[in-house]
């Protein structure tokens, strides 16, 4: 507990101090300071101010430096966080193994002959790739290389082609395994296994609504997605056989996590870290067996995993430093007292929180937004009686929306970097129907929490 009994601030003064901190972070980010440094700097100075009454007070500065050092050490030594590099490693090995092309081929075999079918196949392939990757940006970047040339060959419009990839890529942080859900679970001490299971139905709903967005687009403009060639059943069956590696990996990771192997004589139940390790090893062996991995490729994968993990850990440390400051200032308790004083209904408070997330999504990238806000909103949400598993999925769906929301929209910029000759304005215009589909999905899971909680409430062996 980082709150100080000598804290001179209370009530509206607590809100003022914390809001000033948020404003400073926002200003620094708009001035192009990396989010990790903005959160770390404001968090450190704010912590010193709270401890000593001034950012120049020696006692406050010593306390702040001690807090920063302890936060860095604790994060580096946290065994639970080892699941992050393992899932990243798994996703990179999956990419080397060529499994994205197999997923697209089987989706195209069944849907490609329909109007807009190649875009629908792209969405389905993104959903399948998400089940063995865990990263939205990796999903979007990989599928753009696989699907974009095929859609252009059949004369698909750039708007529909790029939009289906950008939107389909967002499924990577919801369909398990998901790095974002892992981080949410670690931040809130919520079961990662139950979070993974809770993401399945909303992920499937997202796929269905995205398919509807494609149909809507080609209904309004048939030339945007011409029908492709029909694939006969023998070729379809061959395409289905080719995705065995994807099914094996998904079964290994998700099945192990949920206790499928917890039967005699195996009696094995994986923790999230063990499941990630098994998945990374399985993906490595598959990539190696298929000849997609040599010494140079292995070093490239390990190097990219190290850089990505270091970046994630740096943002996590910066966010935790800032979180320590706002907790010391008493902001979470002040918010609870404010809601109580004004007798606001839980649903009204939730709508206000979601609105804040959507606004922040226009400025912040997804992980930073999650790390910045969850430590503040989570105590308030749980005090109002909302289920922490359900709230985690709601937050991730809102974060998904931010990935295709202008002006930041990271998936859009990733796609722009890979494709090159399509403007961001074209992509943003194309994702509008998918953005509407995301809002509809968000409304569904808010109105019907059972869509999220049904699977985790009816599956055993998830308390990991």
């Amino acid at each position: 507990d980082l709150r100080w009994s000598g804290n001179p601030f209370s009530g509206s003064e607590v809100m003022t101090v914390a809001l000033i901190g948020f404003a400073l972070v926002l200003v620094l980010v708009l001035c192009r300071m990396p989010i990790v440094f903005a959160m770390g700097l404001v968090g450190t100075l704010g912590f010193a101010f709270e401890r000593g009454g001034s950012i120049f007070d020696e006692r406050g500065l010593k306390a702040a430096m001690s807090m920063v050092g302890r936060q860095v050490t604790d994060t580096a030594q946290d065994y639970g966080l080892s699941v992050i590099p393992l899932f990243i490693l798994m996703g990179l090995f999956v990419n080397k193994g060529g499994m994205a092309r197999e997923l697209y081929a089987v989706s195209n075999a069944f849907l490609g002959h329909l109007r807009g079918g190649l875009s629908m196949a792209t969405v389905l392939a993104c959903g399948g790739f998400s089940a063995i990757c865990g990263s939205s940006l990796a999903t979007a970047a990989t599928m753009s290389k696989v699907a974009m040339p095929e859609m252009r060959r059949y004369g698909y419009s750039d708007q529909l082609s790029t939009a289906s990839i950008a939107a389909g890529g967002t499924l990577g942080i919801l369909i398990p395994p998901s790095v974002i859900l892992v981080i949410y679970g670690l931040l809130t001490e919520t079961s990662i296994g139950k979070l993974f299971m809770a993401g399945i139905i909303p992920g499937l709903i997202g796929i269905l609504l995205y398919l509807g967005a494609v149909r809507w687009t080609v209904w309004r403009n048939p030339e945007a997605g011409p029908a492709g060639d029909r694939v006969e059943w023998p070729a379809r069956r061959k395409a289905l056989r080719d995705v065995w590696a994807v099914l094996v990996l998904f079964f290994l990771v998700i099945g192990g996590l949920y206790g499928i192997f917890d039967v005699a004589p195996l009696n094995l139940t994986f923790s999230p870290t063990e499941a990630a390790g098994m998945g990374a090893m399985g993906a490595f062996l598959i990539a190696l067996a298929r000849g997609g991995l040599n010494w140079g490729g292995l070093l490239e994968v390990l190097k990219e995993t190290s850089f990505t993990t270091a970046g994630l850990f740096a943002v996590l440390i910066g966010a935790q430093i800032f979180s320590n400051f706002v907790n010391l200032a008493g902001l979470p308790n002040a918010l609870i007292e404010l809601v109580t004083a004004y007798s606001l209904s839980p649903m009204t408070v939730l709508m206000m929180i979601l609105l804040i997330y959507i606004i922040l999504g226009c400025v912040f990238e997804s992980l930073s937004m999650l790390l910045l806000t969850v430590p503040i909103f989570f105590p308030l949400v749980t005090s109002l009686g909302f289920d922490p598993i359900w709230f985690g999925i709601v937050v991730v769906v809102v974060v998904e929306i931010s990935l295709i929301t202008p002006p930041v929209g990271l998936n859009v910029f990733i796609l722009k970097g890979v494709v090159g000759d399509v403007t961001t304005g074209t992509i943003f215009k194309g994702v509008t129907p998918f953005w509407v589909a995301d809002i509809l999905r968000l409304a569904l899971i808010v109105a019907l929490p059972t869509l999220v909680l049904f699977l985790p409430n009816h599956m055993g062996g998830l308390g990991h």
Side-chain angles (χ1 to χ4, degrees):
D1 187 359
L2 293 172
R3 297 181 64 199
W4 176 42
S5 58
N7 180 10
F9 302 103
S10 61
S12 61
E13 292 175 322
V14 167
M15 299 290 287
T16 301
V17 171
L19 290 176
I20 289 174
F22 273 103
L24 287 175
V25 170
L26 183 59
V27 169
L28 292 174
V29 169
L30 292 177
C31 291
R32 307 185 70 82
M33 176 181 284
I35 182 68
V36 56
F37 296 122
M39 291 189 295
L41 177 61
V42 173
T44 302
L45 295 179
F47 194 94
F49 179 77
E50 288 291 313
R51 280 297 194 185
S54 167
I55 60 174
F56 302 108
D57 182 83
E58 183 179 357
R59 183 183 62 164
L61 288 174
K62 285 184 177 179
M65 291 299 102
S66 175
M67 179 272 294
V68 171
R70 186 173 65 253
Q71 197 66 69
V72 173
T73 303
D74 290 347
T75 301
Q77 295 178 344
D78 190 343
Y79 173 76
L81 289 175
S82 60
V83 69
I84 295 176
L86 288 172
F87 274 134
I88 293 172
L89 190 63
M90 174 182 165
L92 292 173
F93 281 142
V94 162
N95 192 22
K96 289 292 184 181
M99 288 175 242
R101 293 189 179 278
E102 295 171 353
L103 285 167
Y104 182 74
V106 71
S107 301
N108 187 21
F110 284 88
L111 295 173
H113 64 283
L114 302 174
R115 193 175 295 279
L118 295 181
S119 287
M120 290 190 282
T122 299
V123 170
L124 281 179
C126 285
F129 192 74
S130 299
I132 52 174
C133 176
S135 166
S136 285
L137 301 184
T139 301
T142 301
M143 294 309 302
S144 64
K145 299 174 184 177
V146 173
M148 195 68 189
E150 191 72 5
M151 286 189 280
R152 281 189 163 173
R153 185 165 73 90
Y154 279 93
Y156 274 56
S157 71
D158 285 341
Q159 279 190 19
L160 179 59
S161 301
T162 55
S164 57
I165 298 172
T170 66
L171 298 167
I173 61 172
L174 182 59
I175 297 177
S178 162
V179 173
I180 288 284
L181 284 177
V182 169
I183 292 176
Y184 174 87
L186 294 171
L187 282 176
T188 62
E189 298 182 354
T190 303
S191 167
I192 295 174
K194 290 187 176 181
L195 284 168
F196 278 3
M197 184 57 82
I200 293 177
I201 291 179
L204 294 176
I205 293 173
I207 292 175
L208 291 175
L209 290 175
Y210 285 167
L211 295 180
V214 173
R215 294 296 293 174
W216 167 263
T217 301
V218 296
W219 176 73
R220 294 192 63 194
N221 179 16
E223 300 303 317
D229 298 328
R230 179 180 290 274
V231 177
E232 299 303 323
W233 275 104
R236 289 181 178 181
R237 285 192 289 270
K238 181 182 181 303
L240 281 173
R241 289 195 298 269
D242 288 342
V243 297
W244 67 268
V246 175
L247 299 177
V248 167
L249 268 184
F250 186 79
F251 182 77
L252 181 65
V253 175
I254 305 302
L257 189 61
Y258 299 133
I260 290 179
F261 305 121
D262 191 16
V263 293
L266 295 176
N267 298 118
L268 294 175
T269 301
F270 299 162
S271 70
T273 302
E274 291 165 345
M278 293 295 291
M281 177 57 70
F284 167 72
L285 293 176
I286 291 171
L288 192 64
R290 293 183 168 190
L293 201 62
N294 51 30
W295 279 111
L298 178 60
L299 290 176
E300 180 186 343
V301 165
L302 295 176
K303 181 179 177 181
E304 187 172 348
T305 300
S306 300
F307 285 167
T308 304
T309 302
L312 287 173
F313 273 45
V315 175
L316 180 59
I317 290 169
Q320 289 175 330
I321 291 171
F322 184 77
S323 175
N324 288 341
F325 153 57
V326 296
N327 285 331
L328 182 63
L331 180 59
N333 287 335
L335 288 175
I336 294 173
E337 292 172 3
L338 184 66
V339 169
T340 304
Y342 284 93
S343 301
L344 297 175
S345 70
M347 191 55 65
T348 300
V349 176
L350 181 66
M351 291 298 106
M352 294 170 65
I353 290 174
L354 294 180
L355 179 61
I356 291 172
Y357 269 115
I358 291 174
I359 294 173
L360 289 178
C362 297
V363 180
F364 287 98
E365 57 91 15
S366 54
L367 178 61
S368 301
M369 184 170 66
L370 180 86
L371 295 173
L372 190 64
T373 57
V374 166
I376 297 163
F377 290 144
F378 184 78
L380 173 61
V381 168
T382 53
S383 72
L384 294 173
F386 291 111
D387 188 283
I389 300 290
W390 172 81
F391 181 65
I393 301 302
V394 169
V395 168
V396 170
V397 170
V398 177
V399 168
E400 279 189 304
I401 295 173
S402 74
L403 290 171
I404 54 174
T405 301
V408 177
L410 278 186
N411 271 21
V412 172
F413 285 96
I414 287 291
L415 196 58
K416 162 65 178 173
V418 175
V419 177
D421 59 348
V422 180
T423 65
T424 55
T426 298
I427 304 175
F428 277 127
K429 188 180 296 184
V431 298
T432 301
F434 298 88
W435 189 88
V436 173
D438 272 334
I439 295 295
L440 179 57
R441 176 174 48 154
L442 178 62
L444 281 173
I445 65 175
V446 168
L448 300 171
T450 187
L451 294 173
V452 173
L453 299 176
F454 178 79
L455 290 181
N457 287 344
H458 289 80
M459 292 292 291
L462 296 177
H464 310 293

